[in-house]
Amino acid sequence: MAWLDELKLNADARVAVIHLATIDEEDAMRALAGWSQSGEWPKGMGLITWDIGDQFRHLREPAATISKLAATPETVLDIIDDYKGSATFVLKDFHHFLEHSRKVSRMLRNLASRLPFRTETVNIIITTPRFALPAELAHDIPTIDVGKPDGKQMLELLERETRSTRSLDNATHGLRERLVESALGLSVVEAGRAFRKAIVVAGGQGLDERSVRQVLNEKRHIIRESGALELYPCTGSMNNVGGLGALKGWLDERQEAFSQDAREYGLSMPKGVALIGIPGTGKSLCAKVTAGHWGMTLLRMDVGAIFSGLLGSSEQNIREAIRIAEVIAPCVLWVDEIEKAFAGSMGDSGTASRVFATFLTWMQEKTAPVFVFATANNVRRLPPELLRKGRFDEVFFLDLPSHAERITILEVHLRERGYSMLSQRFNLAAVASATEGFVGAELQALVNDAMFPAFRDNRRELETEDLLNAAGAMVPLSASHQEHIEQLRTMVVSGQARNASDDRNALALSQK
């Protein structure tokens, strides 16, 4: 455990007060207890815990025992200050008292500077479920982030949870890997609960592929409840995306770029892509199908949930979202309408700027295989530093679909509704001509609207005339966004973005 090694290093360096941020308190205490029973633990040093409920408990008997059992947060620090002997004190959920009492905060700060110079070693470990130290303590007390369990730890947990039921005895190596992967991103407590539920659902038959789906479903609910992230189902394949040939080709080239073969070849991992364009052009659809095409988990970041009402919690939310994405990796992190999060118009004394800086720094320096898929409707609200090279590998502009692309999009939606032999049944060229300026979402709505009169008319087959009538009744969004579209097109001409359609369309655009 890397965090335990860091904790030992701080203790050896006589750092007297250490903050341990973990939501898996029980697992952390198990690791500390194991350390106290090893040969590395100093002889004669006790391990004592305190919380407001159970008060003092001795996990390893110290040379000097504590006779005073009941204590307030203030008297706890007095007892530690007066303690005769060597001991490590673990104060659970102590951040509550630091947040609401200046005296307790000051007393702890005094101990942080005084304890290292005592003859007997006395350490304090504060465990909290999140980064929760007041600003005045942040420079005096180091924070160690325990993080979520990795693949090795998750496998150990899976084996521990299934040992009594022998539910894993007949599982193949591949099934074990999928079960572990399905739980990555969860805490030890959450993953253990998910595994136990899967064992119950499987009954006496042992874990199987249904168990993987059970754990994934449990993870989907847990991640959604966390607020900032949602485990999103992948939708369809690249065949469900009409047009956008340049973008699809670019994504297809990078399908294997996260593999070990790519690393050995010398390829660097793709960082991400940004898609800009007016609503309805297929930006969100591309994010969904890319994850499915690459065989990766798709996480959707809810930028509204990042900015919660509690002071300091927005920064914590973005760090937690990043941490979950890195544990689940390889994955696609979909940030929809990114301009709403990072437009700098939050008006909250710099919270948006700090969250934005955290996200930018991570994008620039991340080494985990997390592919950021950002979409934006209004590029004018985006900070210019977000779109520069080094953060996104490429910026694509999704223009209004061409005549040929509109035919392709219509074919996709007609096939979804069970129609075949489209070239013989419909005059899609005529419909494409009648839908100049329509985006993909409007073409989808057109097919749906055209089916209503056919359904009312004795449920007859859909005809070209129905599609043309529906097209005539719709006013495309592009009619009111022409100036915005032209502005986005200048980004392609100036080289700030690349046209998502094929190169011929991009060339035609540059010649307008």
Side-chain angles (χ1 to χ4, degrees):
M1 296 181 182
W3 68 265
L4 188 57
D5 292 335
E6 182 68 17
L7 182 65
K8 293 175 182 177
L9 178 60
N10 276 276
D12 291 341
R14 299 188 67 81
V15 177
V17 184
I18 303 166
H19 173 215
L20 203 63
T22 175
I23 60 175
D24 287 315
E25 180 187 273
E26 183 180 349
D27 194 64
M29 290 307 306
R30 189 183 298 114
L32 288 174
W35 176 28
S36 72
Q37 301 301 322
S38 71
E40 298 179 1
W41 190 260
K43 186 177 181 180
M45 175 176 280
L47 179 60
I48 305 169
T49 67
W50 180 90
D51 63 67
I52 196 66
D54 289 342
Q55 292 291 308
F56 286 105
R57 295 182 62 195
H58 296 76
L59 299 188
R60 177 177 174 125
E61 289 297 332
T65 58
I66 297 175
S67 58
K68 190 172 182 179
L69 297 179
T72 66
E74 292 181 10
T75 57
V76 165
L77 297 183
D78 281 333
I79 290 170
I80 295 174
D81 198 14
D82 295 336
Y83 184 76
K84 306 302 181 184
S86 297
T88 293
F89 291 85
V90 181
L91 309 182
K92 300 178 181 179
D93 292 336
F94 209 70
H95 60 293
H96 294 302
F97 314 113
L98 298 173
E99 292 169 353
H100 297 100
S101 174
R102 293 183 179 178
K103 183 178 180 180
V104 172
S105 179
R106 182 69 252 185
M107 290 175 68
L108 185 64
R109 193 175 184 187
N110 291 342
L111 283 174
S113 62
R114 193 157 57 228
L115 290 179
F117 299 99
R118 291 179 51 161
T119 303
E120 301 288 350
T121 301
V122 176
N123 299 320
I124 299 174
I125 300 173
I126 299 171
T127 64
T128 70
R130 56 185 175 87
F131 293 82
L133 287 183
E136 63 270 19
L137 292 175
H139 295 290
D140 296 306
I141 300 175
T143 295
I144 299 176
D145 180 16
V146 174
K148 302 292 178 67
D150 58 20
K152 180 181 178 182
Q153 293 169 299
M154 197 65 78
L155 179 59
E156 292 173 355
L157 176 63
L158 174 63
E159 292 172 343
R160 188 165 68 240
E161 293 291 351
T162 57
R163 191 169 294 133
S164 61
T165 60
R166 304 179 65 89
S167 303
L168 207 62
D169 285 3
N170 297 322
T172 64
H173 178 71
L175 177 60
R176 291 170 185 254
E177 286 188 336
R178 288 189 291 278
L179 283 165
V180 167
E181 184 178 344
S182 67
L184 287 176
L186 300 180
S187 68
V188 171
V189 172
E190 293 165 341
R193 185 168 62 241
F195 289 145
R196 291 193 297 274
K197 285 185 176 182
I199 293 169
V200 171
V201 172
Q205 300 178 3
L207 299 181
D208 54 20
E209 291 297 335
R210 292 173 301 172
S211 306
V212 175
R213 294 191 292 271
Q214 170 69 26
V215 175
L216 277 172
N217 189 53
E218 181 75 8
K219 181 164 75 170
R220 186 172 290 112
H221 289 303
I222 291 171
I223 291 179
R224 185 185 294 119
E225 288 170 4
S226 70
L229 290 178
E230 180 179 0
L231 191 63
Y232 217 86
C234 304
T235 304
S237 66
M238 284 296 180
N239 294 329
N240 296 103
V241 180
L244 308 181
L247 172 60
K248 290 194 289 187
W250 188 90
L251 292 170
D252 193 57
E253 282 182 348
R254 284 152 181 80
Q255 182 177 1
E256 303 295 331
F258 294 93
S259 65
Q260 184 59 37
D261 286 346
R263 300 289 78 72
E264 294 173 357
Y265 185 77
L267 282 178
S268 57
M269 282 187 295
K271 290 179 175 290
V273 65
L275 306 187
I276 59 176
I278 66 171
T281 48
K283 301 184 295 296
S284 298
L285 176 62
C286 288
K288 297 173 188 176
V289 302
T290 297
H293 185 59
W294 287 357
M296 288 186 177
T297 301
L298 176 62
L299 288 172
R300 180 181 179 272
M301 180 183 287
D302 184 350
V303 294
I306 294 290
F307 295 93
S308 64
L310 299 175
L311 182 63
S313 58
S314 298
E315 295 91 323
Q316 169 65 19
N317 289 342
I318 190 68
R319 284 194 295 264
E320 178 65 13
I322 289 171
R323 189 158 48 244
I324 291 174
E326 290 188 332
V327 172
I328 291 177
C331 66
V332 174
L333 180 62
W334 170 28
V335 188
D336 201 18
E337 298 184 349
I338 194 172
E339 75 274 19
K340 292 184 178 179
F342 303 133
S345 59
M346 299 298 173
D348 59 355
S349 304
T351 296
S353 298
R354 291 192 297 273
V355 171
F356 177 57
T358 299
F359 188 73
L360 279 189
T361 301
W362 172 72
M363 284 194 64
Q364 182 72 32
E365 300 178 358
K366 67 181 173 73
T367 57
V370 179
F371 185 82
V372 179
F373 207 113
T375 67
N377 296 325
N378 190 349
V379 71
R380 286 176 291 187
R381 298 182 61 194
L382 281 174
E385 60 267 35
L386 179 65
L387 298 181
R388 75 167 177 80
K389 289 286 188 180
R391 297 201 169 99
F392 291 107
D393 298 309
E394 192 63 87
V395 179
F396 282 96
F397 165 54
L398 278 68
D399 201 353
L400 301 175
S402 65
H403 185 276
E405 288 176 323
R406 292 197 295 278
I407 291 177
T408 303
I409 295 170
L410 288 166
E411 289 175 343
V412 168
H413 294 301
L414 287 168
R415 287 195 182 96
E416 285 181 351
R417 286 160 175 78
Y419 288 98
S420 59
M421 302 179 66
L422 300 180
S423 60
Q424 300 177 26
R425 186 185 297 271
F426 301 103
N427 185 356
L428 293 182
V431 179
S433 297
T435 53
E436 180 74 31
F438 281 48
V439 296
E442 291 166 335
L443 293 171
Q444 181 182 20
L446 180 149
V447 173
N448 188 63
D449 290 352
M451 293 180 70
F452 280 100
F455 176 79
R456 184 185 58 191
D457 190 11
N458 296 322
R459 295 171 174 76
R460 61 174 172 78
E461 293 287 321
L462 189 66
E463 298 176 355
T464 300
E465 192 67 23
D466 299 312
L467 297 170
L468 291 172
N469 289 338
M474 295 180 66
V475 178
L477 185 66
S478 61
S480 60
H481 284 66
Q482 191 58 42
E483 183 179 349
H484 182 205
I485 294 170
E486 291 301 328
Q487 182 185 37
L488 292 175
R489 284 172 173 167
T490 62
M491 294 183 64
V492 179
V493 176
S494 63
Q496 295 175 277
R498 180 177 171 185
N499 198 288
S501 297
D502 60 38
D503 293 336
R504 287 173 296 175
N505 285 331
L507 179 60
L509 174 61
S510 66
Q511 293 173 342
K512 284 188 178 182

